[in-house]
């Protein structure tokens, strides 16, 4: 067998597995549990250049309530306690990309992510979170 660049294997001679009459066409076909043909195997999307950049910074931001996360999505802003602002602003100045990963406290899951595009306190939307933190985009 010969290993192809996509991780699949093909027989070196005759095209198919030993003893099969199936010719090699270069396109593999997936089969379901009952042997039915499902079509070509799924392909993976190309990786995003932002996530391939080793200098991209990632932060997990937790919200106390789901309502604040909904407001954040609706208004395209986020706010964080002042003690987090310095780390985020430093990352925004020094890294090509800053990715914020959002979670609701005690949810055991991540609810989404966004790219930070402005320093803390720079959003013109001031009262989204009733005075909590300084909004940023």
């Amino acid at each position: 067998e010969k290993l192809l660049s996509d991780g699949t294997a093909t027989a070196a001679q005759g095209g198919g597995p030993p003893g099969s009459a199936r010719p090699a066409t270069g396109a593999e076909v997936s089969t379901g549990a009952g042997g039915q043909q499902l079509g070509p195997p799924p392909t993976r999307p190309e990786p995003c250049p932002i996530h391939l950049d080793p200098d991209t910074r990632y932060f997990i931001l937790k919200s106390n309530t789901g309502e604040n996360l909904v407001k954040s999505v609706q208004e395209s802003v986020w706010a964080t306690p002042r003690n987090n602002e310095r780390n985020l602003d430093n990352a925004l100045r020094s890294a090509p990309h800053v990715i914020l990963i959002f979670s609701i406290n005690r949810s055991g899951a991540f609810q989404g992510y966004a790219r930070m595009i402005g320093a803390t306190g720079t959003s013109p939307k001031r009262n989204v979170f009733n005075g909590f933190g300084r909004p940023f985009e």
Side-chain angles (χ1 to χ4, degrees), residues 64-126:
N64 289 328
T65 68
E67 291 81 20
N68 283 343
L69 188 58
V70 170
K71 284 182 190 178
S72 180
V73 170
Q74 290 171 340
E75 299 291 333
S76 297
V77 295
W78 189 259
T80 189
R82 290 232 187 220
N83 60 328
N84 293 335
E85 290 182 0
R86 177 185 274 174
N87 289 337
L88 292 173
D89 288 341
N90 286 342
L92 190 62
R93 280 191 297 277
S94 65
H97 313 284
V98 176
I99 304 299
L100 308 174
I101 302 168
F102 302 107
S103 178
I104 299 169
N105 279 342
R106 296 178 301 278
S107 69
F110 295 107
Q111 280 71 36
Y113 68 96
R115 183 173 172 225
M116 184 176 176
I117 60 172
T120 57
T122 60
S123 175
K125 300 173 183 175
R126 296 282 173 206

